[in-house]
Protein backbone atom coordinates (compact mmCIF):
# COMPACT_ATOMS: atom_id res chain seq x y z
CA UNK A 1 0.00 0.00 0.00
CA UNK A 2 1.42 3.38 -1.00
CA UNK A 3 1.28 6.40 1.30
CA UNK A 4 2.76 9.82 2.03
CA UNK A 5 6.06 11.06 3.32
CA UNK A 6 6.23 10.58 7.07
CA UNK A 7 7.54 14.07 7.83
CA UNK A 8 4.56 15.64 6.12
CA UNK A 9 2.28 13.37 8.09
CA UNK A 10 3.96 14.25 11.37
CA UNK A 11 3.69 17.98 10.87
CA UNK A 12 0.11 17.74 9.63
CA UNK A 13 -1.07 15.57 12.48
CA UNK A 14 0.65 17.75 15.04
CA UNK A 15 -0.84 20.90 13.59
CA UNK A 16 -4.32 19.47 13.88
CA UNK A 17 -3.70 18.09 17.34
CA UNK A 18 -2.67 21.53 18.49
CA UNK A 19 -6.17 22.84 17.80
CA UNK A 20 -8.08 19.99 19.38
CA UNK A 21 -10.06 21.12 22.39
CA UNK A 22 -11.24 17.52 22.67
CA UNK A 23 -9.88 14.28 21.31
CA UNK A 24 -12.12 11.40 20.39
CA UNK A 25 -12.67 8.00 18.88
CA UNK A 26 -13.23 6.54 15.45
CA UNK A 27 -12.68 3.17 13.88
CA UNK A 28 -12.63 0.65 11.19
CA UNK A 29 -12.12 -3.05 11.49
CA UNK A 30 -9.25 -3.09 9.04
CA UNK A 31 -6.90 -3.64 11.93
CA UNK A 32 -5.33 -0.20 11.99
CA UNK A 33 -8.07 2.23 12.83
CA UNK A 34 -10.10 2.88 15.91
CA UNK A 35 -13.63 3.77 16.85
CA UNK A 36 -16.05 2.51 19.36
CA UNK A 37 -19.55 2.45 20.65
CA UNK A 38 -21.17 0.35 23.31
CA UNK A 39 -21.79 -2.32 20.72
CA UNK A 40 -18.63 -2.02 18.65
CA UNK A 41 -14.92 -1.66 19.36
CA UNK A 42 -13.13 1.62 19.10
CA UNK A 43 -10.61 1.28 16.41
CA UNK A 44 -9.45 -0.65 13.47
CA UNK A 45 -10.72 2.30 12.47
CA UNK A 46 -9.99 2.14 13.61
CA UNK A 47 -11.34 2.41 12.42
CA UNK A 48 -10.04 4.59 12.38
CA UNK A 49 -11.43 5.99 12.36
CA UNK A 50 -11.11 8.78 16.53
CA UNK A 51 -10.73 12.85 23.73
CA UNK A 52 -10.86 14.57 27.04
CA UNK A 53 -14.03 15.26 28.86
CA UNK A 54 -13.59 19.03 28.73
CA UNK A 55 -16.22 20.89 26.76
CA UNK A 56 -15.49 23.65 24.25
CA UNK A 57 -15.76 27.23 25.39
CA UNK A 58 -18.56 29.50 24.32
CA UNK A 59 -16.19 31.66 22.31
CA UNK A 60 -14.74 28.72 20.39
CA UNK A 61 -18.22 27.41 19.70
CA UNK A 62 -19.31 30.76 18.36
CA UNK A 63 -16.22 31.01 16.22
CA UNK A 64 -16.76 27.51 14.88
CA UNK A 65 -20.38 28.23 14.09
CA UNK A 66 -19.46 31.42 12.27
CA UNK A 67 -16.78 29.64 10.28
CA UNK A 68 -19.14 26.82 9.45
CA UNK A 69 -21.74 29.31 8.21
CA UNK A 70 -19.16 30.84 5.91
CA UNK A 71 -18.30 27.36 4.69
CA UNK A 72 -21.94 26.59 4.15
CA UNK A 73 -22.56 29.70 2.12
CA UNK A 74 -19.59 28.83 -0.04
CA UNK A 75 -21.03 25.45 -0.98
CA UNK A 76 -22.98 26.22 -4.17
CA UNK A 77 -20.30 28.46 -5.63
CA UNK A 78 -17.72 25.69 -5.25
CA UNK A 79 -19.63 23.25 -7.40
CA UNK A 80 -21.13 25.91 -9.73
CA UNK A 81 -24.02 23.46 -10.12
CA UNK A 82 -27.47 23.50 -8.60
CA UNK A 83 -27.79 20.22 -6.75
CA UNK A 84 -31.15 18.46 -6.88
CA UNK A 85 -32.63 15.02 -6.30
CA UNK A 86 -31.89 12.59 -3.48
CA UNK A 87 -28.45 12.34 -1.88
CA UNK A 88 -27.87 9.59 0.69
CA UNK A 89 -25.05 9.61 3.26
CA UNK A 90 -24.01 6.54 5.28
CA UNK A 91 -22.05 7.21 8.47
CA UNK A 92 -21.10 5.00 11.40
CA UNK A 93 -21.72 6.41 14.89
CA UNK A 94 -19.10 5.27 17.39
CA UNK A 95 -16.69 7.00 19.74
CA UNK A 96 -16.65 10.14 17.60
CA UNK A 97 -20.41 10.49 18.04
CA UNK A 98 -22.72 12.06 15.47
CA UNK A 99 -22.73 15.74 16.47
CA UNK A 100 -20.41 16.72 13.64
CA UNK A 101 -22.38 14.74 11.08
CA UNK A 102 -25.64 16.35 12.19
CA UNK A 103 -24.08 19.82 11.99
CA UNK A 104 -22.25 19.45 8.68
CA UNK A 105 -25.25 17.83 7.01
CA UNK A 106 -27.46 20.64 8.29
CA UNK A 107 -25.01 23.19 6.87
CA UNK A 108 -24.85 21.36 3.56
CA UNK A 109 -28.64 21.26 3.35
CA UNK A 110 -28.79 25.00 4.00
CA UNK A 111 -26.31 25.58 1.19
CA UNK A 112 -28.27 23.33 -1.18
CA UNK A 113 -31.99 23.80 -0.44
CA UNK A 114 -33.14 21.95 -3.58
CA UNK A 115 -31.24 18.79 -2.59
CA UNK A 116 -32.99 16.07 -0.55
CA UNK A 117 -30.27 14.85 1.80
CA UNK A 118 -30.97 11.47 3.39
CA UNK A 119 -29.06 10.61 6.58
CA UNK A 120 -28.29 6.95 7.11
CA UNK A 121 -26.30 6.75 10.35
CA UNK A 122 -26.02 4.72 13.52
CA UNK A 123 -23.83 2.29 15.46
CA UNK A 124 -25.09 -0.70 13.44
CA UNK A 125 -25.39 0.98 10.06
CA UNK A 126 -22.54 -1.01 8.49
CA UNK A 127 -24.32 -4.30 9.13
CA UNK A 128 -27.71 -2.89 8.20
CA UNK A 129 -26.53 -1.58 4.83
CA UNK A 130 -24.32 -4.55 3.92
CA UNK A 131 -27.04 -6.21 1.80
CA UNK A 132 -27.45 -2.97 -0.16
CA UNK A 133 -23.74 -2.79 -0.99
CA UNK A 134 -23.72 -6.43 -2.03
CA UNK A 135 -26.90 -5.96 -4.06
CA UNK A 136 -25.60 -2.93 -5.94
CA UNK A 137 -27.94 -0.38 -4.35
CA UNK A 138 -25.64 1.49 -1.95
CA UNK A 139 -25.93 5.01 -0.49
CA UNK A 140 -24.15 7.69 -2.54
CA UNK A 141 -21.56 8.61 0.09
CA UNK A 142 -19.96 6.48 2.80
CA UNK A 143 -17.88 7.14 5.91
CA UNK A 144 -15.66 4.06 6.19
CA UNK A 145 -15.40 3.55 9.93
CA UNK A 146 -16.50 1.07 12.56
CA UNK A 147 -16.75 -2.72 12.47
CA UNK A 148 -17.47 -4.79 9.37
CA UNK A 149 -16.45 -2.10 6.90
CA UNK A 150 -13.01 -2.52 5.34
CA UNK A 151 -11.76 0.03 2.84
CA UNK A 152 -9.38 -2.32 1.03
CA UNK A 153 -12.08 -4.96 0.72
CA UNK A 154 -14.52 -2.39 -0.69
CA UNK A 155 -11.95 -1.39 -3.28
CA UNK A 156 -11.21 -5.00 -4.20
CA UNK A 157 -14.94 -5.68 -4.48
CA UNK A 158 -15.36 -2.76 -6.90
CA UNK A 159 -17.74 -0.87 -4.62
CA UNK A 160 -16.00 2.54 -4.58
CA UNK A 161 -15.66 5.24 -7.23
CA UNK A 162 -12.20 5.92 -8.63
CA UNK A 163 -11.41 9.48 -7.48
CA UNK A 164 -7.87 9.64 -8.88
CA UNK A 165 -8.44 12.00 -11.81
CA UNK A 166 -11.06 14.13 -10.04
CA UNK A 167 -8.80 14.74 -7.05
CA UNK A 168 -5.95 16.07 -9.19
CA UNK A 169 -7.79 19.38 -9.58
CA UNK A 170 -10.67 19.23 -7.07
CA UNK A 171 -10.90 22.19 -4.70
CA UNK A 172 -12.81 22.62 -1.47
CA UNK A 173 -15.40 25.32 -0.81
CA UNK A 174 -12.57 27.67 0.20
CA UNK A 175 -11.00 27.31 -3.23
CA UNK A 176 -8.04 25.33 -1.89
CA UNK A 177 -6.93 22.18 -3.66
CA UNK A 178 -8.13 19.26 -1.54
CA UNK A 179 -4.92 17.28 -1.93
CA UNK A 180 -2.96 20.28 -0.65
CA UNK A 181 -4.91 20.63 2.60
CA UNK A 182 -4.65 16.98 3.68
CA UNK A 183 -2.25 16.19 6.51
CA UNK A 184 -2.04 12.56 5.39
CA UNK A 185 -2.48 11.81 1.71
CA UNK A 186 -5.00 9.22 0.54
CA UNK A 187 -3.66 5.69 0.32
CA UNK A 188 -3.32 4.30 -3.16
CA UNK A 189 -4.38 0.94 -4.52
CA UNK A 190 -2.32 0.09 -7.59
CA UNK A 191 -1.82 3.81 -8.12
CA UNK A 192 -5.52 4.66 -7.78
CA UNK A 193 -7.33 6.66 -5.07
CA UNK A 194 -10.76 5.56 -3.90
CA UNK A 195 -11.11 7.04 -0.41
CA UNK A 196 -9.90 10.13 1.46
CA UNK A 197 -8.83 10.25 5.13
CA UNK A 198 -11.18 12.46 7.17
CA UNK A 199 -9.94 11.63 10.68
CA UNK A 200 -6.32 11.33 11.79
CA UNK A 201 -5.31 9.66 15.02
CA UNK A 202 -2.48 7.78 16.64
CA UNK A 203 -2.28 4.57 18.60
CA UNK A 204 -0.27 4.51 21.79
CA UNK A 205 -0.02 3.64 25.48
CA UNK A 206 -2.03 5.48 28.15
CA UNK A 207 -1.63 5.84 31.91
CA UNK A 208 -2.85 8.20 34.64
CA UNK A 209 -0.28 10.92 35.29
CA UNK A 210 -1.96 11.80 38.57
CA UNK A 211 -1.65 8.23 39.86
CA UNK A 212 1.98 8.00 38.80
CA UNK A 213 2.76 11.28 40.54
CA UNK A 214 0.98 10.16 43.70
CA UNK A 215 2.86 6.84 43.76
CA UNK A 216 6.18 8.27 42.67
CA UNK A 217 6.30 6.04 39.59
CA UNK A 218 8.47 7.07 36.65
CA UNK A 219 6.69 7.56 33.33
CA UNK A 220 8.35 5.26 30.77
CA UNK A 221 10.12 6.54 27.67
CA UNK A 222 11.35 3.15 26.39
CA UNK A 223 10.86 -0.58 26.87
CA UNK A 224 13.43 -1.03 29.64
CA UNK A 225 11.81 1.75 31.66
CA UNK A 226 8.40 0.26 30.97
CA UNK A 227 9.50 -3.10 32.36
CA UNK A 228 11.11 -1.48 35.38
CA UNK A 229 8.10 0.60 36.38
CA UNK A 230 5.81 -2.34 35.68
CA UNK A 231 7.74 -4.37 38.26
CA UNK A 232 7.13 -1.59 40.77
CA UNK A 233 3.46 -1.34 39.84
CA UNK A 234 2.94 -5.08 40.18
CA UNK A 235 4.61 -5.04 43.61
CA UNK A 236 2.11 -2.35 44.65
CA UNK A 237 -0.78 -4.70 43.89
CA UNK A 238 -1.87 -3.18 40.58
CA UNK A 239 -1.72 -5.11 37.31
CA UNK A 240 0.57 -3.19 34.95
CA UNK A 241 -1.12 -3.83 31.60
CA UNK A 242 -4.57 -4.58 30.22
CA UNK A 243 -5.68 -4.84 26.61
CA UNK A 244 -8.86 -5.60 24.71
CA UNK A 245 -8.64 -9.35 24.17
CA UNK A 246 -11.90 -9.49 22.23
CA UNK A 247 -10.49 -7.00 19.74
CA UNK A 248 -6.72 -7.69 19.56
CA UNK A 249 -6.14 -5.02 16.95
CA UNK A 250 -5.73 -2.65 19.90
CA UNK A 251 -2.58 -4.37 21.16
CA UNK A 252 -1.42 -4.93 17.58
CA UNK A 253 -1.86 -1.27 16.64
CA UNK A 254 -0.46 0.28 19.81
CA UNK A 255 2.20 -2.25 20.79
CA UNK A 256 3.08 -4.89 18.19
CA UNK A 257 3.34 -2.81 15.02
CA UNK A 258 5.50 -0.08 16.61
CA UNK A 259 7.65 -2.86 18.11
CA UNK A 260 8.13 -4.41 14.67
CA UNK A 261 9.26 -1.04 13.29
CA UNK A 262 11.61 -0.41 16.23
CA UNK A 263 13.17 -3.84 15.74
CA UNK A 264 13.49 -3.17 12.01
CA UNK A 265 15.88 -0.25 12.52
CA UNK A 266 12.95 2.19 12.60
CA UNK A 267 11.99 1.33 9.01
CA UNK A 268 8.20 1.11 8.70
CA UNK A 269 8.27 -0.26 5.15
CA UNK A 270 8.30 -3.74 6.71
CA UNK A 271 4.65 -3.16 7.65
CA UNK A 272 3.88 -2.09 4.10
CA UNK A 273 5.53 -5.28 2.84
CA UNK A 274 3.41 -7.26 5.28
CA UNK A 275 0.28 -5.48 4.03
CA UNK A 276 1.34 -6.39 0.48
CA UNK A 277 1.28 -10.07 1.58
CA UNK A 278 5.01 -10.62 1.24
CA UNK A 279 5.63 -13.77 3.27
CA UNK A 280 9.30 -13.00 3.92
CA UNK A 281 8.34 -9.81 5.74
CA UNK A 282 6.36 -11.82 8.30
CA UNK A 283 9.35 -14.13 8.78
CA UNK A 284 11.68 -11.22 9.51
CA UNK A 285 13.74 -11.28 12.73
CA UNK A 286 12.11 -7.93 13.56
CA UNK A 287 8.69 -9.60 13.78
CA UNK A 288 9.98 -12.33 16.09
CA UNK A 289 11.75 -9.76 18.28
CA UNK A 290 8.54 -7.73 18.60
CA UNK A 291 6.49 -10.82 19.44
CA UNK A 292 9.02 -11.72 22.11
CA UNK A 293 8.42 -8.35 23.75
CA UNK A 294 4.79 -9.41 24.22
CA UNK A 295 6.06 -12.69 25.64
CA UNK A 296 8.12 -10.76 28.19
CA UNK A 297 5.01 -8.97 29.43
CA UNK A 298 3.13 -12.25 29.56
CA UNK A 299 5.83 -14.24 31.36
CA UNK A 300 6.41 -11.49 33.94
CA UNK A 301 2.72 -11.57 34.82
CA UNK A 302 2.21 -7.98 33.67
CA UNK A 303 -0.86 -8.68 31.51
CA UNK A 304 -4.20 -8.68 33.31
CA UNK A 305 -5.81 -12.10 32.96
CA UNK A 306 -9.11 -10.27 32.49
CA UNK A 307 -7.79 -9.28 29.04
CA UNK A 308 -8.86 -12.67 27.70
CA UNK A 309 -11.87 -11.95 25.49
CA UNK A 310 -12.72 -8.71 27.34
CA UNK A 311 -14.26 -5.96 25.20
CA UNK A 312 -12.97 -2.44 24.73
CA UNK A 313 -15.27 -0.62 27.16
CA UNK A 314 -14.75 -3.12 29.97
CA UNK A 315 -10.97 -2.99 29.64
CA UNK A 316 -11.09 0.81 29.58
CA UNK A 317 -13.25 0.87 32.72
CA UNK A 318 -10.75 -1.32 34.59
CA UNK A 319 -8.01 1.07 33.49
CA UNK A 320 -9.97 4.13 34.68
CA UNK A 321 -10.59 2.40 38.01
CA UNK A 322 -6.82 1.89 38.48
CA UNK A 323 -7.16 -1.88 38.37
CA UNK A 324 -4.54 -1.65 35.63
CA UNK A 325 -1.86 0.98 35.06
CA UNK A 326 -1.32 0.91 31.28
CA UNK A 327 -3.64 0.34 28.32
CA UNK A 328 -2.90 0.27 24.56
CA UNK A 329 -5.46 2.40 22.76
CA UNK A 330 -6.04 5.31 20.39
CA UNK A 331 -6.42 9.04 20.97
CA UNK A 332 -10.19 8.66 20.97
CA UNK A 333 -10.09 6.91 24.38
CA UNK A 334 -10.68 9.91 26.70
CA UNK A 335 -13.58 11.20 24.63
CA UNK A 336 -15.15 7.77 24.32
CA UNK A 337 -15.04 7.27 28.10
CA UNK A 338 -15.71 10.91 29.03
CA UNK A 339 -18.74 10.07 31.19
CA UNK A 340 -16.74 7.57 33.22
CA UNK A 341 -13.43 9.40 33.72
CA UNK A 342 -12.87 9.92 37.47
CA UNK A 343 -12.25 13.43 38.73
CA UNK A 344 -8.55 14.26 38.72
CA UNK A 345 -7.66 11.55 36.18
CA UNK A 346 -4.91 12.95 33.93
CA UNK A 347 -4.25 10.97 30.76
CA UNK A 348 -0.61 10.35 29.99
CA UNK A 349 0.23 9.20 26.45
CA UNK A 350 3.19 7.98 24.45
CA UNK A 351 2.88 6.57 20.92
CA UNK A 352 5.16 3.61 21.70
CA UNK A 353 7.04 2.04 24.61
CA UNK A 354 8.76 -0.78 22.71
CA UNK A 355 11.85 1.16 21.61
CA UNK A 356 15.25 0.66 23.21
CA UNK A 357 16.78 3.29 25.52
CA UNK A 358 17.74 6.23 23.31
CA UNK A 359 15.69 4.83 20.44
CA UNK A 360 13.08 6.69 18.43
CA UNK A 361 9.42 6.80 19.41
CA UNK A 362 7.23 5.14 16.78
CA UNK A 363 3.77 6.61 16.12
CA UNK A 364 1.33 4.29 14.38
CA UNK A 365 -1.29 6.55 12.84
CA UNK A 366 -4.85 5.59 12.07
CA UNK A 367 -7.49 7.16 9.88
CA UNK A 368 -11.15 6.89 9.06
CA UNK A 369 -11.96 7.70 5.45
CA UNK A 370 -14.81 8.81 3.21
CA UNK A 371 -15.68 7.66 -0.30
CA UNK A 372 -18.28 7.73 -3.05
CA UNK A 373 -20.07 4.55 -4.08
CA UNK A 374 -19.23 3.39 -7.59
CA UNK A 375 -22.96 2.91 -8.14
CA UNK A 376 -23.93 6.22 -6.56
CA UNK A 377 -27.17 7.64 -7.94
CA UNK A 378 -26.11 11.24 -7.29
CA UNK A 379 -22.32 11.41 -7.75
CA UNK A 380 -22.39 15.18 -8.35
CA UNK A 381 -23.86 15.77 -4.90
CA UNK A 382 -21.37 13.33 -3.38
CA UNK A 383 -18.43 15.20 -4.90
CA UNK A 384 -19.89 18.53 -3.76
CA UNK A 385 -20.17 17.11 -0.25
CA UNK A 386 -16.50 16.11 -0.35
CA UNK A 387 -15.63 19.68 -1.35
CA UNK A 388 -17.75 20.92 1.53
CA UNK A 389 -16.34 18.77 4.33
CA UNK A 390 -12.65 19.16 3.45
CA UNK A 391 -12.50 22.83 4.43
CA UNK A 392 -10.62 24.54 7.26
CA UNK A 393 -13.88 25.51 8.93
CA UNK A 394 -14.91 21.88 9.07
CA UNK A 395 -11.51 20.91 10.48
CA UNK A 396 -12.15 23.09 13.53
CA UNK A 397 -15.76 21.98 13.73
CA UNK A 398 -14.81 18.30 13.54
CA UNK A 399 -12.26 18.72 16.33
CA UNK A 400 -14.78 20.50 18.53
CA UNK A 401 -17.77 18.23 17.96
CA UNK A 402 -16.07 14.83 17.61
CA UNK A 403 -13.15 15.32 19.97
CA UNK A 404 -10.61 14.04 17.44
CA UNK A 405 -7.98 15.51 15.11
CA UNK A 406 -9.07 16.17 11.56
CA UNK A 407 -6.94 15.20 8.56
CA UNK A 408 -7.10 18.80 7.33
CA UNK A 409 -3.99 20.87 7.93
CA UNK A 410 -4.25 23.75 10.34
CA UNK A 411 -1.91 26.45 11.59
CA UNK A 412 -3.02 27.16 15.15
CA UNK A 413 -0.43 28.62 17.50
CA UNK A 414 -2.25 28.10 20.78
CA UNK A 415 -5.01 25.91 22.15
CA UNK A 416 -6.72 24.62 25.27
CA UNK A 417 -5.90 21.06 24.28
CA UNK A 418 -5.67 18.57 27.15
CA UNK A 419 -2.34 17.23 28.34
CA UNK A 420 -2.39 13.99 26.41
CA UNK A 421 -3.06 15.81 23.13
CA UNK A 422 -0.14 18.13 23.84
CA UNK A 423 1.98 15.07 24.62
CA UNK A 424 0.97 13.52 21.31
CA UNK A 425 1.73 16.74 19.44
CA UNK A 426 5.14 16.92 21.14
CA UNK A 427 6.04 13.46 19.89
CA UNK A 428 4.60 13.96 16.42
CA UNK A 429 6.52 17.19 15.85
CA UNK A 430 9.79 15.66 17.06
CA UNK A 431 12.03 14.88 14.07
CA UNK A 432 13.19 11.78 15.94
CA UNK A 433 9.70 10.30 15.92
CA UNK A 434 9.01 7.66 13.28
CA UNK A 435 5.48 8.26 11.96
CA UNK A 436 3.93 5.20 10.34
CA UNK A 437 1.48 6.06 7.57
CA UNK A 438 -1.88 4.34 7.89
CA UNK A 439 -1.55 0.80 6.58
CA UNK A 440 -4.46 -1.52 5.79
CA UNK A 441 -3.99 -5.28 5.83
CA UNK A 442 -6.02 -7.84 3.94
CA UNK A 443 -9.06 -8.57 6.12
CA UNK A 444 -8.35 -12.31 6.42
CA UNK A 445 -4.67 -11.76 7.22
CA UNK A 446 -5.54 -9.08 9.75
CA UNK A 447 -7.96 -11.45 11.47
CA UNK A 448 -5.27 -14.13 11.56
CA UNK A 449 -2.83 -11.69 13.19
CA UNK A 450 -5.40 -10.64 15.77
CA UNK A 451 -6.26 -14.22 16.70
CA UNK A 452 -2.59 -15.20 16.84
CA UNK A 453 -1.68 -12.27 19.08
CA UNK A 454 -4.56 -13.10 21.41
CA UNK A 455 -3.28 -16.68 21.64
CA UNK A 456 0.28 -15.48 22.21
CA UNK A 457 -0.68 -13.24 25.13
CA UNK A 458 -2.18 -16.17 27.04
CA UNK A 459 0.59 -18.64 26.25
CA UNK A 460 -1.25 -20.87 23.81
CA UNK A 461 1.33 -20.38 21.06
CA UNK A 462 4.95 -19.29 20.61
CA UNK A 463 6.18 -16.39 18.45
CA UNK A 464 7.25 -18.93 15.82
CA UNK A 465 3.76 -20.40 15.81
CA UNK A 466 2.33 -16.87 15.47
CA UNK A 467 4.39 -16.46 12.29
CA UNK A 468 3.28 -19.87 10.99
CA UNK A 469 -0.40 -19.10 11.56
CA UNK A 470 -0.21 -15.74 9.84
CA UNK A 471 1.92 -16.83 6.87
CA UNK A 472 -0.53 -19.67 6.27
CA UNK A 473 -3.28 -17.05 6.04
CA UNK A 474 -1.14 -14.95 3.69
CA UNK A 475 -0.62 -17.96 1.43
CA UNK A 476 -4.37 -18.50 1.21
CA UNK A 477 -5.15 -14.92 0.18
CA UNK A 478 -2.34 -14.96 -2.37
Amino acid sequence: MTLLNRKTAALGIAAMMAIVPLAGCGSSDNGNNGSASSSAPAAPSASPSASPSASPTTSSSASSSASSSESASAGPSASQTKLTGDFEIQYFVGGYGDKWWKKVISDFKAANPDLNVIEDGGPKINDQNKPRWIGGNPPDFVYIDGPNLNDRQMVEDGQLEDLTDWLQTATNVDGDKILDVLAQAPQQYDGKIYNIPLVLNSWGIFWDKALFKEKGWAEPANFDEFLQVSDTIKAAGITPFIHTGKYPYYINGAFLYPAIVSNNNDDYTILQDMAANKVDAYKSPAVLAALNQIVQLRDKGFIDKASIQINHTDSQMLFLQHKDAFIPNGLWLPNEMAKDVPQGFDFGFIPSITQKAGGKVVANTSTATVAIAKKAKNPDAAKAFLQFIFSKAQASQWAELSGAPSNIKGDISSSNAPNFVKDAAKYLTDPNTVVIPTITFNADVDKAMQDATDALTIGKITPEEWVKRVTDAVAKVQ
Side-chain angles (χ1 to χ4, degrees):
M1 130 185 236
T2 308
L3 286 157
L4 82 172
N5 177 281
R6 67 173 183 267
K7 292 184 179 179
T8 302
L11 293 174
I13 302 168
M16 284 316 307
M17 283 182 172
I19 73 168
V20 183
L22 302 171
C25 155
S27 154
S28 138
D29 67 344
N30 61 18
N32 215 25
N33 289 6
S35 93
S37 67
S38 58
S39 61
S45 141
S47 268
S49 288
S51 277
S53 55
S55 59
T57 63
T58 303
S59 60
S60 65
S61 298
S63 174
S64 176
S65 297
S67 297
S68 109
S69 296
E70 292 172 7
S71 179
S73 64
S77 62
S79 63
Q80 297 297 320
T81 303
K82 184 177 180 180
L83 300 175
T84 60
D86 294 337
F87 170 52
E88 187 175 6
I89 301 169
Q90 174 180 326
Y91 62 89
F92 167 76
V93 180
Y96 294 129
D98 63 359
K99 291 182 180 178
W100 179 80
W101 288 102
K102 297 291 186 185
K103 184 66 171 68
V104 74
I105 290 173
S106 175
D107 291 346
F108 190 65
K109 286 180 178 179
N112 299 279
D114 297 315
L115 184 68
N116 180 35
V117 182
I118 303 168
E119 294 184 49
D120 210 3
K124 297 181 179 180
I125 195 62
N126 296 343
D127 287 330
Q128 293 167 352
N129 275 354
K130 188 174 182 179
R132 293 183 55 189
W133 285 93
I134 295 175
N137 181 36
D140 301 290
F141 180 95
V142 60
Y143 171 53
I144 305 175
D145 191 14
N148 303 319
L149 203 63
N150 182 287
D151 49 3
R152 180 176 289 274
Q153 193 64 51
M154 295 180 83
V155 170
E156 292 175 354
D157 291 345
Q159 295 176 335
L160 303 181
E161 178 70 16
D162 182 353
L163 300 175
T164 312
D165 293 337
W166 180 76
L167 266 179
Q168 301 313 305
T169 57
T171 57
N172 63 15
V173 292
D174 304 320
D176 299 320
K177 190 176 178 181
I178 292 177
L179 285 176
D180 291 342
V181 302
L182 300 180
Q184 186 169 119
Q187 61 178 301
Q188 295 187 21
Y189 306 84
D190 295 327
K192 300 290 186 179
I193 297 172
Y194 296 87
N195 54 325
I196 309 172
L198 175 68
V199 192
L200 194 52
N201 247 304
S202 175
W203 291 96
I205 305 296
F206 285 87
W207 63 90
D208 180 7
K209 284 177 172 285
L211 176 65
F212 273 56
K213 183 177 181 180
E214 174 192 331
K215 301 290 187 180
W217 298 338
E219 298 181 1
N222 55 63
F223 194 59
D224 288 341
E225 291 179 3
F226 177 78
L227 295 179
Q228 290 168 10
V229 73
S230 292
D231 274 324
T232 304
I233 291 168
K234 184 181 178 184
I238 298 176
T239 308
F241 189 88
I242 191 168
H243 70 98
T244 302
K246 190 172 181 179
Y247 307 112
Y249 55 76
Y250 279 78
I251 189 171
N252 280 355
F255 189 99
L256 180 59
Y257 298 153
I260 291 173
V261 173
S262 292
N263 286 288
N264 194 51
N265 297 316
D266 298 328
D267 182 358
Y268 63 71
T269 59
I270 185 173
L271 294 179
Q272 294 174 323
D273 288 342
M274 290 165 64
N277 294 327
K278 296 180 180 179
V279 173
D280 287 346
Y282 288 94
K283 295 181 178 180
S284 165
V287 173
L288 283 174
L291 293 169
N292 274 301
Q293 288 183 283
I294 293 179
V295 170
Q296 288 186 64
L297 301 191
R298 180 195 73 194
D299 291 351
K300 286 178 175 290
F302 290 166
I303 301 177
D304 194 329
K305 292 181 179 179
S307 296
I308 303 173
Q309 288 302 304
I310 197 172
N311 67 25
H312 60 296
T313 50
D314 288 343
S315 65
Q316 290 160 188
M317 280 300 300
L318 290 173
F319 166 67
L320 293 176
Q321 294 167 358
H322 292 160
K323 303 295 183 182
D324 305 275
F326 294 104
I327 189 169
N329 220 294
L331 286 174
W332 57 83
L333 168 63
N335 187 57
E336 181 182 4
M337 302 300 290
K339 295 180 181 179
D340 300 299
V341 176
Q343 185 175 3
F345 199 100
D346 187 5
F347 289 93
F349 174 82
I350 186 172
S352 69
I353 47 85
T354 49
Q355 59 274 6
K356 296 178 180 178
K360 295 182 179 182
V361 169
V362 178
N364 183 23
T365 59
S366 66
T367 64
T369 65
V370 290
I372 297 173
K374 187 171 185 178
K375 293 188 177 181
K377 300 177 184 64
N378 199 339
D380 289 340
K383 289 178 179 177
F385 191 58
L386 283 177
Q387 293 174 295
F388 192 84
I389 66 176
F390 282 102
S391 66
K392 292 179 180 178
Q394 291 304 330
S396 297
Q397 189 159 277
W398 170 269
E400 178 180 321
L401 297 179
S402 75
S406 164
N407 189 43
I408 303 167
K409 295 176 184 177
D411 183 16
I412 307 298
S413 59
S414 62
S415 76
N416 294 318
N419 289 335
F420 81 92
V421 173
K422 292 177 180 177
D423 288 345
K426 177 185 67 176
Y427 287 115
L428 290 166
T429 55
D430 190 328
N432 288 318
T433 298
V434 179
V435 178
I436 306 172
T438 299
I439 295 172
T440 306
F441 295 89
N442 171 275
D444 292 335
V445 174
D446 182 64
K447 182 63 165 57
M449 285 195 289
Q450 292 184 45
D451 292 344
T453 298
D454 196 31
L456 182 69
T457 62
I458 58 177
K460 283 189 173 182
I461 63 173
T462 65
E464 290 76 14
E465 289 169 329
W466 186 102
V467 173
K468 178 65 166 58
R469 279 194 185 191
V470 176
T471 52
D472 285 348
V474 171
K476 287 182 180 180
V477 302
Q478 284 179 329

